[in-house]
Amino acid sequence: MPGPLIVIDGPAGAGKSTVARTVAEAIGAALLDTGAIYRGLAYLARERGVDWDDEPGLAAIAATLRIEFQPAAEPGAPQRVLISSDEPGAETLDVTSSIRTPDISDGASRVSRHQAVRAALLDIQRAIAATSVESGHGCVAEGRDMGTVVFPDARHKFFLTASAAARAGRRHKELVARGQAPSRTQVEVEMARRDQRDSSRATAPLQQAKDAALIDSSELDVAAVVSRILAAVDPA
Ligand code: C5P
């Protein structure tokens, strides 16, 4: 029997990554972190000297991009992200932490605006989810356009949001824990810029799917959000 496909969309800092990872662990499903794909592309483009505004150049890299998610090095840590490309001689790079810098966050948001890039990455996302769903384990896919564009037919759709202050506070804490030290104001400004870009772009803007359940996590902890999702997916 196919496993469930659960999709979670929402803005940066709403808690999507942690919630999606916890839901996936709870039901033994794979985790599809689509932000990591855009981040991986931004990283590879930078390595190859391709500008984040060069749509054809980026689409060419996206067309040969290979991405693999592997279990985390330790429990509770983010899963490992490996990227390479179909091109002969391409090496595999472990970009787990190098794609989480503020610079690559900005790059991911810039490369993701381009229609040709989004189109080139559709198949990768659908293929990863299909493998996990068909195996019976299921997949939890998180991003910005899971419910609207990539998996419009998914049965379980959630839109996770929180107030701008709560989101900036969480992201700041996360960056500090990783040894980076931007100021809280810097995080707020960068996040607002990214939100604005993600919500206003012409292709696949950040948007709640009509049939997605809205969860506001401003006043909820991760456990509370996760239990709402699990209860909706498998009402006992
Ligand atoms: O979720 P995360 O912060 O890792 O995503 C990085 C950037 O990738 C987002 O700001 C957004 O611009 C882009 N993205 C997207 N569509 C997705 C996932 C991420 O446009 N499905």
Side-chain angles (χ1 to χ4, degrees), residues 34-35 38-39 108-109 112 118 143-146 194 198 201:
T34 59
Y38 289 96
R39 287 170 182 273
S109 160
S112 69
R118 303 198 73 88
R144 304 291 189 288
D145 59 344
M146 301 293 96
R194 222 151 47 99
D198 291 350
R201 67 180 173 222

Side-chain angles (χ1 to χ4, degrees), residues 5-65:
L5 174 59
I6 300 168
V7 304
I8 307 176
D9 287 308
K16 274 186 319 269
S17 310
T18 314
V19 165
R21 185 175 74 225
T22 313
V23 170
E25 278 168 9
I27 62 173
L31 173 63
L32 172 55
D33 169 6
T34 59
I37 302 180
Y38 289 96
R39 287 170 182 273
L41 176 64
Y43 181 88
L44 216 51
R46 159 87 21 112
E47 290 280 290
R48 295 184 184 182
V50 171
D51 196 275
W52 288 334
D53 294 324
D54 173 1
E55 182 164 5
L58 292 168
I61 302 180
T64 62
L65 178 71

Side-chain angles (χ1 to χ4, degrees), residues 209-234:
K210 285 195 185 69
D211 51 351
L214 177 68
I215 303 178
D216 184 331
S217 72
S218 310
E219 307 289 332
L220 298 175
D221 63 10
V222 171
V225 177
V226 168
S227 59
R228 273 198 200 187
I229 293 179
L230 292 176
V233 169
D234 190 9

Side-chain angles (χ1 to χ4, degrees), residues 53-223:
D53 294 324
D54 173 1
E55 182 164 5
L58 292 168
I61 302 180
T64 62
L65 178 71
R66 280 182 176 269
I67 186 146
E68 203 186 317
F69 295 101
Q70 285 190 356
E74 55 203 65
Q79 63 185 350
R80 289 175 65 215
V81 184
L82 307 177
I83 56 171
S84 89
S85 93
D86 285 340
E87 284 160 18
E91 51 176 344
T92 300
L93 303 170
D94 183 333
V95 293
T96 312
S97 42
S98 39
I99 58 171
R100 303 287 166 195
T101 64
D103 181 44
I104 296 295
S105 296
D106 188 50
S109 160
R110 284 184 38 197
V111 303
S112 69
R113 276 182 306 175
H114 305 296
Q115 205 278 332
V117 166
R118 303 198 73 88
L121 295 178
L122 269 180
D123 284 350
I124 296 192
Q125 299 173 72
R126 289 180 177 151
I128 295 174
T131 307
S132 313
V133 168
E134 282 157 21
S135 72
H137 293 293
C139 179
V140 180
E142 60 123 327
R144 304 291 189 288
D145 59 344
M146 301 293 96
T148 50
V149 176
V150 185
F151 304 111
D153 299 329
R155 216 170 114 214
H156 308 293
K157 296 186 185 179
F158 299 91
F159 192 84
L160 184 58
T161 189
S163 67
R167 295 191 292 112
R170 284 177 196 155
R171 186 46 63 94
H172 181 248
K173 227 166 117 184
E174 214 177 278
L175 290 172
V176 169
R178 269 195 225 124
Q180 300 168 22
S183 74
R184 165 82 191 246
T185 315
Q186 222 175 327
V187 173
E188 270 187 53
V189 169
E190 272 161 25
M191 195 175 255
R193 192 172 56 209
R194 222 151 47 99
D195 282 353
Q196 160 68 13
R197 210 186 274 147
D198 291 350
S199 311
S200 62
R201 67 180 173 222
T203 310
L206 169 65
Q207 214 171 45
Q208 181 181 350
K210 285 195 185 69
D211 51 351
L214 177 68
I215 303 178
D216 184 331
S217 72
S218 310
E219 307 289 332
L220 298 175
D221 63 10
V222 171

